[in-house]
């Protein structure tokens, strides 16, 4: 178990036992992509892949001594001199910055991190790290926070400190996940409810480096801001882009790329509502909506890739598969596939070899189900 691994890393780095271990989950978004920062709706699940953080108070200077993965030595974060350094410690530093900013006097800490979430694949290892670290530190200091506020604190850490203009979905899923349920999230204004979801899904990581992603993501955020400003020219009361109707989007004067992005947002949010309604009614996941989502992301949002398109098309040729789409930001990263358990298992077997033959390197593939979010182990 990943919590035990964190304990082992802790003993190796600092000796003895941590005071506690907290963990948070990676996530897969079932549907509702590139809409959180536009005030839209999404339907993620927390998955069995997790990040665990072992923590203990230490006497002396107000610094965090931290190790991740048992390698790379112990790094020191000075609470009085928190600054972005362009490496992984920016995530815990960003959380410490929030805690200090909230008036919490954070004493010296010893921290060991272990994770089985592949990082940078779109399963949200960054949010799991932030949420697990925040939950562990708040727990050991006895300054608890409800899970939604915890998620929002971690989102602020990533936005303000790490400098990624992310929406709240990843941190919310990492913190608020529920086994056997998908999370129906609305980002404008924020609310979350659960709908039953006990199906397996297949996650395929295309294992493509995604150097373009950060700049392309920021570009999409800006294109959506342009679309919102244009819609508000006609309808000043529209609170966020996801609240704009297709008619308003079509009537407003804006660059064509912004109009395409806005059309995706409107259609995607409707698909999320339709999917959540189907699941709440006890129906199986509507695979055709996943496929429609993929096409919209590919054509209107322009965030797919040759590899993701190939995985989706290959999956759809498999009997028993009902739908597939890119998940996460896109431009590489992961796809998610829906269908019968037997069909998913067959695809998990056959797809990596076929992909390697076509694309030239092996992808990773896992079957996952909906699991719990943050917890003390
Ligand atoms: P994603 O969240 O989709 O995995 P990001 O680029 O947002 O991708 O976050 C990945 C980054 O988060 C890594 O490059 C690393 O800096 C940090 N990170 C995530 N998990 C860990 C971990 N267990 N240990 C150290 N750093 C981690
Ligand atoms: Mg991330």
């Amino acid at each position: 178990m990943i919590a035990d691994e964190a304990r082992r890393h802790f003993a190796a780095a600092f000796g003895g036992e941590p005071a506690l271990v907290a963990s948070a989950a990676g996530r897969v978004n079932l549907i509702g992509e590139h809409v959180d920062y536009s005030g839209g709706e999404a339907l993620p699940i927390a998955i069995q892949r997790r990040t665990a953080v072992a923590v203990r108070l230490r006497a002396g200077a107000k610094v965090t001594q931290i190790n991740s993965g048992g390698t790379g030595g112990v790094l020191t974060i000075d609470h009085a001199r928190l600054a972005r350094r362009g490496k992984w410690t920016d995530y815990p530093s960003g959380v410490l910055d929030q805690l200090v900013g909230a008036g919490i006097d954070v004493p010296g800490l010893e921290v060991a991190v272990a994770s089985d979430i592949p990082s940078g694949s779109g399963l949200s290892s960054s949010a799991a790290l932030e949420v697990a670290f925040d939950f562990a530190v708040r727990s050991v200091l006895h300054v608890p926070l409800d899970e939604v506020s915890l998620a929002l604190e971690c989102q602020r850490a990533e936005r303000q400190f790490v400098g990624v203009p992310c929406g709240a979905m990843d941190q919310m899923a990492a913190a608020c996940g529920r086994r056997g349920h998908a999370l129906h999230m609305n980002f404008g204004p924020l609310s979350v409810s659960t709908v039953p979801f006990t199906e397996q899904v297949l996650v395929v990581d295309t294992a493509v480096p995604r150097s373009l992603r950060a700049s392309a993501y920021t570009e999409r955020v800006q294109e959506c801001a342009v679309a919102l400003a244009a819609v508000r020219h006609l309808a000043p009361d529209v609170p966020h882009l996801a609240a704009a109707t297709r008619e308003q989007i079509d009537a407003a004067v804006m660059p064509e790329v912004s109009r395409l992005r806005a059309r995706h947002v409107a259609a995607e949010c409707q698909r999320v509502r339709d999917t959540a309604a189907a699941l709440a009614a006890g129906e199986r996941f509507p695979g055709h909506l996943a496929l429609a989502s993929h096409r919209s992301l590919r054509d209107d949002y322009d965030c797919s890739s040759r590899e993701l398109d190939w995985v989706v098309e290959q999956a759809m040729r498999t009997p028993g598969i009902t739908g597939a789409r890119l998940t996460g930001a896109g431009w590489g990263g992961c796809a998610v596939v829906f269908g019968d358990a037997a069909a998913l298992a067959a695809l998990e077997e056959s797809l990596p070899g076929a992909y390697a033959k076509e694309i030239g390197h092996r992808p990773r593939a896992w079957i996952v189900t909906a699991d719990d979010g943050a917890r003390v182990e």
Side-chain angles (χ1 to χ4, degrees), residues 258-284:
S258 283
R259 198 185 315 281
L260 288 174
R261 309 309 184 229
R263 281 181 185 158
H264 164 76
V265 171
E268 186 77 353
C269 290
Q270 188 57 50
R271 284 188 285 268
V272 173
R273 288 189 285 277
D274 292 347
T275 302
L279 294 178
E283 293 167 25
R284 285 190 63 88

Side-chain angles (χ1 to χ4, degrees), residues 27 91 120-128 130 158 164 166 170-171 210 213:
R27 65 99 186 90
Y91 297 90
S121 297
L123 299 184
S124 200
S125 68
S126 64
E130 292 152 1
E158 185 150 347
V164 179
C166 59
D170 296 355
Q171 292 82 4
R210 27 141 251 187
R213 190 186 287 174

Side-chain angles (χ1 to χ4, degrees), residues 206-233:
T206 58
V208 176
R210 27 141 251 187
S211 50
L212 270 179
R213 190 186 287 174
S215 60
Y217 186 94
T218 306
E219 195 178 280
R220 292 297 172 278
V221 173
Q222 284 160 357
E223 288 162 352
C224 286
V226 168
L228 176 60
V231 167
R232 279 186 177 156
H233 217 73

Side-chain angles (χ1 to χ4, degrees), residues 29-320:
N29 189 19
L30 302 179
I31 193 161
E33 213 65 71
H34 278 291
V35 294
D36 58 350
Y37 51 85
S38 288
E41 296 174 52
L43 200 70
I45 58 172
I47 61 174
Q48 290 85 7
R49 301 220 153 219
R50 308 184 69 82
T51 296
V53 170
V55 65
R56 187 171 68 192
L57 301 182
R58 71 190 286 279
K62 289 180 182 172
V63 300
T64 291
Q65 300 221 298
I66 190 165
N67 167 274
S68 180
T71 56
V74 173
L75 305 173
T76 300
I77 303 169
D78 185 341
H79 304 175
R81 265 175 248 181
L82 296 168
R84 194 193 302 175
R85 314 241 181 244
K87 57 183 182 189
W88 71 270
T89 46
D90 287 352
Y91 297 90
S93 298
V95 171
L96 288 165
D97 181 54
Q98 289 294 319
L99 295 174
V100 170
I104 298 170
D105 184 21
V106 186
L109 301 170
E110 290 166 330
V111 176
V113 181
S115 180
D116 60 5
I117 308 170
S119 103
S121 297
L123 299 184
S124 200
S125 68
S126 64
L129 174 59
E130 292 152 1
V131 171
F133 180 79
D134 199 358
F135 197 43
V137 174
R138 282 185 164 276
S139 298
V140 81
L141 297 181
H142 304 290
V143 280
L145 207 55
D146 67 275
E147 56 192 18
V148 171
S149 304
L150 186 84
L152 294 179
E153 181 165 87
C154 291
Q155 182 206 11
R156 288 195 300 276
E158 185 150 347
R159 289 181 69 96
Q160 296 169 8
F161 196 91
V162 184
V164 179
C166 59
M169 175 170 68
D170 296 355
Q171 292 82 4
M172 290 280 289
C176 310
R178 273 252 317 275
R179 179 168 298 185
H181 293 79
L183 302 167
H184 184 186
M185 295 181 184
N186 195 323
F187 297 99
L190 189 73
S191 68
V192 59
S193 57
T194 57
V195 287
F197 182 73
T198 53
E199 291 175 39
Q200 297 180 346
V201 296
L202 176 68
V203 180
V204 181
D205 177 7
T206 58
V208 176
R210 27 141 251 187
S211 50
L212 270 179
R213 190 186 287 174
S215 60
Y217 186 94
T218 306
E219 195 178 280
R220 292 297 172 278
V221 173
Q222 284 160 357
E223 288 162 352
C224 286
V226 168
L228 176 60
V231 167
R232 279 186 177 156
H233 217 73
L234 297 181
D237 294 338
V238 171
H240 40 71
L241 186 57
T245 62
R246 174 69 194 246
E247 290 68 33
Q248 289 169 330
I249 292 163
D250 286 349
V253 179
M254 67 177 93
E256 255 348 88
V257 285
S258 283
R259 198 185 315 281
L260 288 174
R261 309 309 184 229
R263 281 181 185 158
H264 164 76
V265 171
E268 186 77 353
C269 290
Q270 188 57 50
R271 284 188 285 268
V272 173
R273 288 189 285 277
D274 292 347
T275 302
L279 294 178
E283 293 167 25
R284 285 190 63 88
F285 191 94
H288 67 283
L289 294 180
L291 195 58
S293 167
H294 183 77
R295 292 185 173 139
S296 175
L297 289 159
R298 180 191 66 193
D299 299 338
D300 289 349
Y301 224 76
D302 193 17
C303 66
S304 189
S305 67
R306 167 172 165 257
E307 296 83 4
L308 286 164
D309 291 343
W310 188 88
V311 169
V312 167
E313 278 158 32
Q314 189 74 7
M316 294 312 297
R317 277 198 284 272
T318 309

